[in-house]
Amino acid sequence: MTEPSSFFPSSQKRLNINFMAHISRVYKKTCSNGKLAIYLGKRDFVDHVDMVDPIDGVVLVDPDYLKGRKMFVMLTCAFRYGHDDLDVIGLTFRKDLYVQVLQVFPPEPTSPQGPLTVLQERLLQKLGDNAYPFTLQMVVNLPCSVTLQPGPEDAGKACGIDFEVKSFCAENLEEKISKRDSVRLVVRKVQFAIPEPGPGPCAQTTRRFLLSAQPLQLQASMDREVHYHGKPIAVNVSINNCTNKVIKKIKISVDQITDVVLYSLDKYTKTVFIQEFMETVAANSSFSKSFEVTPLLAANCQKQGLALDGKLKHGDTNLASSTILQPGMNKELLGILVSYKVRVNLMVSGGGILGDLIASDVGVELPLILMHPKPSHGDSEDIVIEEFARQERRESQEALEEEGDEGS
């Protein structure tokens, strides 16, 4: 949408403060009527387990549009467990887990006014007197953003946990606000790998076979507790085969376990990686080797219901990160819990005439924590505003349709 030149400068795509060459990206979203815009310095907010990054931004409003009304900013965390087109007789498949409302203008006397962030100061300096800062603080017991991968024929918003920052002008909070008169920006709550992870997991098992005096011993381990998305995972396999059986191959798989704990006790297990290694271990021999496995979303993009990290529009995502729980936290409040496990299985030949027809399986499981490393951010003096323009025409059409439905 082209902004009205009378209020929002149409050339204002980039705000330069020429002290350093560093660049800081600012996300901007304007409502359909062009009278209200919201600015955020980032869309990913980190959950540090004991606290969450505050959401700090600025709202720019046309003073003629405000007309003595109040201006609000709202943060909503919602669990969507059905598509919009399935809503019937006014019932929606959506549950708000958390809602926080802040009156930005005029500021409430009882609201604590904290210090402005550096980004807010720069934006206020450039945007002028009609810009107002806001800061929202999430509580620590909210879930992270998770999206359940839709099927090939599914349309509309995907199921999962999402966060939304919304700004609007109204006389009071009970007033009904149309989509055209509000501006909404989806954000994500994310967790990064802990800075000092513990030792890698280890599991072992012993299997005895008929007519074999000694057992088969299998041990599997990983060098690290936490692994990163897209990076190879080294799985160490040690076998002490004291039996008269022959191990034909080794199969390693990675499973994603998704617990939907909010509205039911559903648990879904989906294999996100599987590979067979044609390693033969003869009878009465030992074997030791490290195998690399890499679970990727690209190899699982057709699996419906797979848990992904919360997806922002027009942005790529990945397999969902493991859920890190604070001790004593109520799991039901988190909506969706994601975990992973690595399975190592040996295909043991039965030997003799029947051979593989009576083969048996010996396996162990290892817990896997899959996350992103914590990124490093430097100080930035140059501000680049990324404006959302691709969705505005569609949202404007949706707003007009919504208003038409209300009038009919």
Side-chain angles (χ1 to χ4, degrees):
M1 175 182 295
T2 302
E3 295 173 340
S5 57
S6 60
F7 182 65
F8 293 107
S10 59
S11 61
Q12 191 175 339
K13 298 294 184 183
R14 177 180 177 127
L15 300 180
N16 290 314
I17 305 177
N18 297 314
F19 295 118
M20 298 177 65
H22 299 295
I23 296 176
S24 177
R25 176 178 293 178
V26 174
Y27 298 96
K28 173 186 177 182
K29 186 75 175 290
T30 306
C31 68
S32 299
N33 62 22
K35 303 297 184 180
L36 192 64
I38 191 169
Y39 296 77
L40 290 179
K42 57 184 179 180
R43 300 180 73 187
D44 287 343
F45 298 89
V46 182
D47 180 358
H48 302 277
V49 180
D50 57 344
M51 61 88 61
V52 184
D53 289 345
I55 301 176
D56 57 308
V58 169
V59 178
L60 182 63
V61 63
D62 186 337
D64 295 333
Y65 175 69
L66 193 56
K67 293 180 182 178
R69 296 182 296 172
K70 300 176 182 179
M71 184 166 61
F72 300 93
V73 174
M74 176 184 296
L75 170 66
T76 305
C77 170
F79 178 45
R80 186 184 302 276
Y81 51 97
H83 299 297
D84 292 336
D85 56 359
L86 296 178
D87 295 353
V88 291
I89 59 174
L91 299 177
T92 59
F93 293 90
R94 171 189 171 99
K95 179 178 177 61
D96 289 341
L97 304 179
Y98 176 76
V99 177
Q100 180 183 351
V101 181
L102 177 66
Q103 182 176 310
V104 178
F105 181 84
E108 294 179 308
T110 57
S111 299
Q113 301 295 325
L116 298 177
T117 63
V118 175
L119 180 65
Q120 285 176 327
E121 291 177 349
R122 293 173 188 160
L123 286 173
L124 292 176
Q125 180 183 1
K126 289 296 179 180
L127 298 178
D129 296 336
N130 296 313
Y132 301 92
F134 66 89
T135 301
L136 301 168
Q137 183 62 63
M138 297 187 199
V139 295
V140 296
N141 61 344
L142 294 178
C144 288
S145 300
V146 177
T147 298
L148 299 182
Q149 183 164 260
E153 299 181 356
D154 290 338
K157 293 184 179 180
C159 301
I161 303 291
D162 59 48
F163 291 80
E164 181 184 78
V165 178
K166 173 183 174 182
S167 183
F168 57 92
C169 298
E171 296 288 345
N172 52 66
L173 292 176
E174 286 71 31
E175 183 177 336
K176 187 173 182 179
I177 306 299
S178 67
K179 289 184 178 180
R180 180 177 173 82
D181 296 324
S182 64
V183 54
R184 306 161 186 252
L185 190 58
V186 175
V187 298
R188 293 190 298 190
K189 178 173 173 284
V190 298
Q191 286 181 324
F192 292 121
I194 53 180
E196 297 180 1
C202 180
Q204 58 183 0
T205 187
T206 300
R207 173 72 66 86
R208 292 185 177 274
F209 294 94
L210 188 64
L211 303 179
S212 293
Q214 299 297 323
L216 167 65
Q217 295 177 329
L218 168 64
Q219 178 177 295
S221 65
M222 292 187 288
D223 298 331
R224 302 168 49 192
E225 179 188 26
V226 178
H227 292 81
Y228 300 146
H229 289 287
K231 301 297 182 181
I233 301 170
V235 180
N236 307 314
V237 178
S238 296
I239 302 170
N240 186 17
N241 184 15
C242 298
T243 71
N244 57 1
K245 307 293 183 181
V246 177
I247 298 173
K248 291 290 188 177
K249 57 186 176 182
I250 300 173
K251 183 172 67 175
I252 300 179
S253 59
V254 180
D255 291 343
Q256 180 193 81
I257 301 97
T258 304
D259 285 330
V260 182
V261 296
L262 182 65
Y263 69 94
S264 67
L265 297 177
D266 293 341
K267 177 178 288 189
Y268 307 96
T269 300
K270 296 184 180 296
T271 300
V272 295
F273 177 91
I274 185 168
Q275 185 173 349
E276 293 183 349
F277 300 90
M278 306 308 294
E279 301 283 353
T280 300
V281 183
N284 299 304
S285 64
S286 298
F287 174 87
S288 182
K289 187 175 180 178
S290 180
F291 300 92
E292 286 191 346
V293 300
T294 309
L296 296 171
L297 174 58
N300 299 275
C301 57
Q302 299 298 320
K303 291 185 178 179
Q304 184 175 7
L306 192 66
L308 314 177
D309 275 344
K311 185 176 182 179
L312 300 175
K313 291 180 180 178
H314 314 299
D316 294 331
T317 186
N318 47 258
L319 296 174
S321 298
S322 301
T323 304
I324 304 299
L325 297 175
Q326 187 177 7
M329 182 177 293
N330 185 357
K331 294 182 179 181
E332 292 185 2
L333 296 178
L334 297 180
I336 298 176
L337 304 178
V338 179
S339 60
Y340 293 88
K341 66 180 178 181
V342 176
R343 292 186 295 157
V344 179
N345 293 87
L346 308 180
M347 185 60 66
V348 183
S349 173
I353 299 176
L354 296 179
D356 293 340
L357 294 178
I358 57 172
S360 58
D361 189 67
V362 179
V364 293
E365 296 181 353
L366 296 171
L368 170 65
I369 299 178
L370 194 60
M371 305 193 76
H372 285 290
K374 186 176 182 180
S376 58
H377 298 287
D379 293 334
S380 302
E381 298 289 350
D382 192 20
I383 299 178
V384 174
I385 295 182
E386 179 177 311
E387 185 174 359
F388 295 87
R390 287 172 291 184
Q391 292 288 324
E392 289 175 344
R393 178 174 295 181
R394 183 177 64 83
E395 289 179 352
S396 178
Q397 182 65 28
E398 288 179 353
L400 292 174
E401 292 176 357
E402 180 187 76
E403 290 174 358
D405 292 340
E406 291 174 356
S408 60

